[in-house]
Amino acid sequence: MAQNLLASLSDSQLDLLHRLADESAALGFPIYIVGGFVRDLVLGRPSLDFDLVLEGDAISLGRSLVSKFGGKLTVHTKFKTAKWFPGLSAFRPSNLPTFIDLISARSETYKHPAALPTVKLGTVADDIRRRDFTLNALAICLDGEYFGELRDELGGLDDLQNGLVRVLHPRSFVDDPTRLFRAARYEKRYDFKIEPQTLALIPEARPLIAKLSAQRIRHELDLILGEPNALSILARLGDLDLLKPIHPSLTWDVTTWARFQHKVNSANERWLLWLMSLTETEIASLNQRLKFTASLLKSLYASSKIFAALSAFEDLKPSQCVERLNGFPLNAVSAAALIAQGKSRQNLEKYLSEWRHIKPKTTGDDLKNLGIAPGPKYQEILSRLRNAWLDGEVDSENEEKRLIENFLKETG
Ligand code: ATP
């Protein structure tokens, strides 16, 4: 079966795996390809996510790969892991990963629930046991005559075939509550089911979500929002009551469901669609918990402001729309445009496609040539001209000039 699994790889991928295995063998390190790559291969969705686990020092293997084939290496000395970027010269570029993760097999113990584990070097069997679910606990051996042999000590293959997400032991969620979110992500990504005994372990771990660091929990939410079916994953988390324990403002209901029907491409756009109906105070409080990036936070505040005033956009003149929206991140305006209706929607769309680009023909230099002394007046005149264009009051350079003359008469 496993031979067949690797047989579905391209010649260049097989060649790459053989070369990695040969280098590892030269150092005396047994080597396996593990995790998501094997899972997706079994599911007939080959990926380029090459995670290699070896019983030995991954950094030494990385160094010998670089000295033989070139490319670049980044290392994480504490965990004895390395990332090798083979570069384009060593192998044919098609169907090959841009980097390969090299991991020294290790075992983990958890001193406290929800904390980061204590790690020490171990065997591939140890490495498999520290994983989240049986579906991620499959490994394919790459050593010599065993090349292609599947190691399935924890029943991962059966679970994959039966469509089940199953933890490896009853303390799994307590050790690491991020796995609660990962379970829902895999379940909905593959249209699987969380296995009943695994499901029954959720309530005990739910209160420990509060102990997860901002960075870890946000990372999991980012991964979820980056999935094509983020909608069903969040709905599932809502059903399992796993959102409120993160923060009371994180909810999932029919309104959010409707908003997620809009097709967007990135996790950040989904954050905006999800949270734009929160008040600024709620966003500030949520940010205490999740520590958003500065740019996402700015967009969240902006989309909340636009959302709160959405109906007002219906009656605004183009110049007023521009005045209100100027300076707001475009992704915030786009997100609001997606959910707005009628005239408000048209106005937001027009702002994005046309109005924000409109500028008067006259420049600061022209004003100087007209003998107007530089100062705040310039800004005033230029804004007035832009607004006149936006609202259809002028449509030529001559008309602009007339407007400037009038302005100068009015203001002396
Ligand atoms: P994806 O297709 O989502 O990238 P992946 O399996 O490659 O899936 P990663 O998040 O890249 O997922 O993790 C790599 C591997 O590390 C997983 O296959 C899993 O075995 C393991 N892993 C990741 N997070 C955890 C965790 N919290 N607990 C245990 N193992 C984990």
Side-chain angles (χ1 to χ4, degrees), residues 180-182 184-185 221 224 232-244 246 252:
L180 295 164
F181 303 95
R182 299 177 65 83
R185 183 158 65 89
L221 292 173
I224 288 169
S232 1
I233 305 173
L234 289 186
R236 180 65 159 147
L237 291 176
D239 286 347
L240 293 171
D241 195 13
L242 293 174
L243 289 173
K244 285 234 172 76
I246 302 175
W252 185 258

Side-chain angles (χ1 to χ4, degrees), residues 35-36 39 49 51 130-132 136 176 178-179 182 185-186 189:
R39 176 197 69 217
D49 193 0
D51 288 337
R130 73 185 173 87
R131 291 177 184 261
D132 42 7
N136 280 333
D176 181 355
T178 63
R179 294 172 184 159
R182 299 177 65 83
R185 183 158 65 89
Y186 289 124
R189 182 201 284 174

Side-chain angles (χ1 to χ4, degrees), residues 306-321:
I306 302 170
F307 182 86
L310 213 47
S311 55
F313 279 90
E314 214 162 292
D315 302 320
L316 294 183
K317 291 199 288 187
S319 61
Q320 293 170 317
C321 283

Side-chain angles (χ1 to χ4, degrees), residues 352-409:
L352 288 165
S353 61
E354 277 177 44
W355 296 342
R356 70 194 172 91
H357 302 296
I358 289 179
K359 287 196 184 91
K361 306 257 184 266
T362 308
T363 64
D365 281 347
D366 297 330
L367 297 180
K368 209 166 164 191
N369 292 338
L370 286 171
I372 305 169
K377 216 180 215 177
Y378 275 35
Q379 197 43 48
E380 219 179 309
I381 298 172
L382 294 174
S383 306
R384 194 168 303 178
L385 292 178
R386 186 194 59 183
N387 290 348
W389 276 98
L390 281 164
D391 297 338
E393 292 160 13
V394 296
D395 60 9
S396 70
E397 221 162 322
N398 278 341
E399 287 182 28
E400 269 194 24
K401 284 207 179 102
R402 217 164 0 94
L403 208 65
I404 298 173
E405 281 159 20
N406 288 345
F407 178 85
L408 293 173
K409 267 188 222 146

Side-chain angles (χ1 to χ4, degrees), residues 39 58 62 91 99 158 170 173 202 231 234 236 240 257 265 270 287 304 319 325 330 333 337 380-382 399 409-410:
R39 176 197 69 217
F91 303 103
F99 65 83
D158 273 355
F173 288 140
I202 293 178
L231 177 91
L234 289 186
R236 180 65 159 147
L240 293 171
W257 180 280
N265 296 317
R270 291 215 175 90
N287 184 48
S304 145
S319 61
L325 297 171
L330 293 181
V333 184
E380 219 179 309
I381 298 172
L382 294 174
E399 287 182 28
K409 267 188 222 146
E410 270 170 37

Side-chain angles (χ1 to χ4, degrees), residues 221-367:
L221 292 173
D222 277 336
L223 290 177
I224 288 169
L225 292 173
E227 294 268 337
N229 58 355
L231 177 91
S232 1
I233 305 173
L234 289 186
R236 180 65 159 147
L237 291 176
D239 286 347
L240 293 171
D241 195 13
L242 293 174
L243 289 173
K244 285 234 172 76
I246 302 175
H247 188 279
S249 295
L250 279 189
T251 54
W252 185 258
D253 55 27
V254 279
T255 339
T256 6
W257 180 280
R259 278 189 230 148
F260 267 60
Q261 301 296 336
H262 298 286
K263 200 174 149 21
V264 293
N265 296 317
S266 72
N268 274 2
E269 287 170 288
R270 291 215 175 90
W271 274 116
L272 299 177
L273 285 179
W274 189 11
L275 302 181
M276 68 168 72
S277 49
L278 299 185
T279 63
E280 287 181 51
T281 318
E282 285 168 327
I283 291 173
S285 162
L286 192 55
N287 184 48
Q288 291 295 315
R289 176 66 183 104
L290 293 180
K291 306 263 186 288
F292 294 115
T293 60
S295 73
L296 178 57
L297 185 62
K298 189 171 175 207
S299 296
L300 284 169
Y301 280 132
S303 63
S304 145
K305 274 207 187 88
I306 302 170
F307 182 86
L310 213 47
S311 55
F313 279 90
E314 214 162 292
D315 302 320
L316 294 183
K317 291 199 288 187
S319 61
Q320 293 170 317
C321 283
V322 172
E323 225 152 82
R324 286 224 184 176
L325 297 171
N326 237 351
F328 281 165
L330 293 181
N331 61 356
V333 184
S334 306
L338 280 179
I339 62 133
Q341 301 196 330
K343 193 77 193 322
S344 300
R345 180 179 192 142
Q346 277 173 24
N347 282 348
L348 293 173
E349 284 173 350
K350 279 259 187 192
Y351 168 80
L352 288 165
S353 61
E354 277 177 44
W355 296 342
R356 70 194 172 91
H357 302 296
I358 289 179
K359 287 196 184 91
K361 306 257 184 266
T362 308
T363 64
D365 281 347
D366 297 330
L367 297 180

